[in-house]
Amino acid sequence: MLSRVFGFGRRPFDSLDEQEILALAISSEEDDGRIYRAYADGLRDDFPASAAVFDGMADEEDRHRAALIEMHRQRFGERIPLIRREHVKGYYERRPDWLVRPLGIEKVRLQAEEMEDQAHRFYLEAAKRTEDASTRKLLGDLAAAEKGHESLARRLGLEHVPEDVKAEEGVAERRQFILTYVQPGLAGLMDGSVSTLAPIFAAAFATGDTWQTFLVGLSASVGAGISMGFTEAAHDDGKLSGRGSPVKRGLASGIMTAIGGLGHALPYLIPHFWTATAIAIAVVFVELWAIAFIQNRYMETPFFRAVLQVVLGGSLVLAAGVLIGNA
């Protein structure tokens, strides 16, 4: 770990000879081609037009690699030294596609722009360190190809992804985000915030003991979170409904359920009963307003209707808990 952070055991870029620079360029182009193809594969089912962009970019990287290999063959023969970007101190790194999933459209387009800019700077520096005229020309041409007046991602985007297609893909991406994360998370937040109100405040007013109330709230929140998470993950695998990974939906629902309950349980860690209760009630209204905002922002529920449904319903459950606790 320390060797990766501080660069121990890596070669400085300035220490590479011309053969090693060519070998590094070849392996870098190969890696970038694989990354672009992985992006294309990840986008193909839902965003075929954008997948075509990254297929084209991968083909371009293959052409660069072929030109570099031919140059190496002419100058140094058939054996290409094994040198990769992780062997060179200060060299840019690439994140594998599985670390940046889910592959959002704009996320991968911006990543492609960054990759091109880094490759452009590498070829400029590599050309400065090369004395052979033909190699220097090739590296300079590759630097120009990576940068250009418009990046390859933008040029291919204009060809394969016109504005109307890009808008359609943006709508589809937002819809998938809502189905996979927002809907389950909102359902969990509503369940955790509202369903735990009665037991927590009933326990508070029945016992007057903040610690016991906190334990009731903690158990109710965690239990509800586990239940909601498993229920969401188990009842729909997402293949027919298109709602996405059941694991992601289950985590979103379970975590938000637990957060919704813990929000007004945590104040009871304060030993003074009325201070804890006042803060808990304030937190409840913040949670209810947050739910109304999310419904309006993502589910397009009219704001005042969302407020009426959530705040009124939550207030009734809160009142029920207080009345039961005082019975």
Side-chain angles (χ1 to χ4, degrees):
M1 175 62 73
L2 290 177
S3 64
R4 282 187 68 86
V5 174
F6 295 105
F8 300 148
R10 295 186 180 188
R11 291 274 301 279
F13 181 73
D14 292 343
S15 72
L16 302 181
D17 60 29
E18 293 190 17
Q19 183 183 15
E20 290 170 332
I21 288 174
L22 280 176
L24 178 60
I26 291 168
S27 67
S28 297
E29 292 288 352
E30 185 177 54
D31 288 345
D32 287 354
R34 288 177 175 175
I35 290 173
Y36 289 140
R37 284 196 169 86
Y39 287 169
D41 291 341
L43 296 171
R44 201 174 313 280
D45 290 342
D46 296 323
F47 311 109
S50 287
V53 171
F54 291 103
D55 282 330
M57 295 180 72
D59 291 340
E60 182 78 4
E61 299 302 296
D62 287 345
R63 290 191 288 272
H64 292 176
R65 181 171 61 89
L68 288 163
I69 290 175
E70 183 58 32
M71 178 60 66
H72 185 281
R73 180 181 289 115
Q74 294 174 10
R75 292 195 59 197
F76 303 108
E78 297 292 333
R79 189 187 67 81
I80 301 175
L82 177 60
I83 180 168
R84 307 183 73 85
R85 54 171 56 97
E86 60 266 25
H87 302 152
V88 180
K89 187 175 182 179
Y91 196 68
Y92 62 84
E93 295 186 357
R94 297 284 191 244
R95 299 180 67 193
D97 71 289
W98 53 268
L99 282 179
V100 295
R101 289 181 183 268
L103 297 179
I105 294 296
E106 290 305 317
K107 181 188 293 184
V108 292
R109 284 179 183 154
L110 291 173
Q111 182 69 16
E113 295 283 347
E114 183 181 354
M115 289 170 64
E116 285 188 314
D117 182 63
Q118 291 172 336
H120 167 72
R121 286 187 276 112
F122 162 69
Y123 283 122
L124 289 180
E125 292 300 317
K128 293 177 185 177
R129 295 183 43 76
T130 304
E131 296 180 358
D132 178 74
S134 58
T135 304
R136 188 163 188 160
K137 179 180 183 304
L138 173 61
L139 295 175
D141 290 343
L142 291 176
E146 293 289 352
K147 194 68 174 178
H149 296 293
E150 291 181 321
S151 71
L152 180 59
R154 292 186 185 277
R155 296 200 306 273
L156 289 173
L158 291 174
E159 176 183 348
H160 293 287
V161 191
E163 288 301 318
D164 56 340
V165 175
K166 188 180 294 186
E168 290 177 5
E169 290 185 345
V171 171
E173 183 180 26
R174 184 176 187 274
R175 177 180 178 276
Q176 191 62 55
F177 173 75
I178 291 174
L179 290 175
T180 304
Y181 295 102
V182 176
Q183 275 189 351
L186 179 61
L189 184 60
M190 293 177 65
D191 183 82
S193 298
V194 176
S195 69
T196 58
L197 286 176
I200 289 176
F201 285 97
F205 283 91
T207 65
D209 187 322
T210 57
W211 177 246
Q212 296 299 322
T213 302
F214 169 72
L215 292 179
V216 170
L218 178 64
S219 61
S221 302
V222 173
I226 294 172
S227 175
M228 284 288 290
F230 273 102
T231 300
E232 177 63 40
H235 88 279
D236 179 9
D237 63 8
K239 294 180 180 178
L240 294 178
S241 65
R243 298 182 65 222
S245 166
V247 174
K248 294 176 182 177
R249 290 186 286 106
L251 287 173
S253 180
I255 290 171
M256 293 308 294
T257 301
I259 290 174
L262 289 173
H264 44 269
L266 289 175
Y268 282 99
L269 288 171
I270 300 171
H272 189 272
F273 176 79
W274 286 111
T275 301
T277 300
I279 295 174
I281 292 174
V283 170
V284 168
F285 280 98
V286 171
E287 292 171 345
L288 297 179
W289 280 98
I291 292 170
F293 171 79
I294 294 171
Q295 283 187 322
N296 174 255
R297 174 70 174 81
Y298 291 100
M299 312 306 293
E300 300 182 359
T301 304
F303 185 72
F304 289 106
R305 192 173 83 186
V307 170
L308 181 65
Q309 291 174 344
V310 176
V311 176
L312 178 60
S315 299
L316 291 174
V317 176
L318 172 62
V322 173
L323 290 174
I324 293 171
N326 283 314

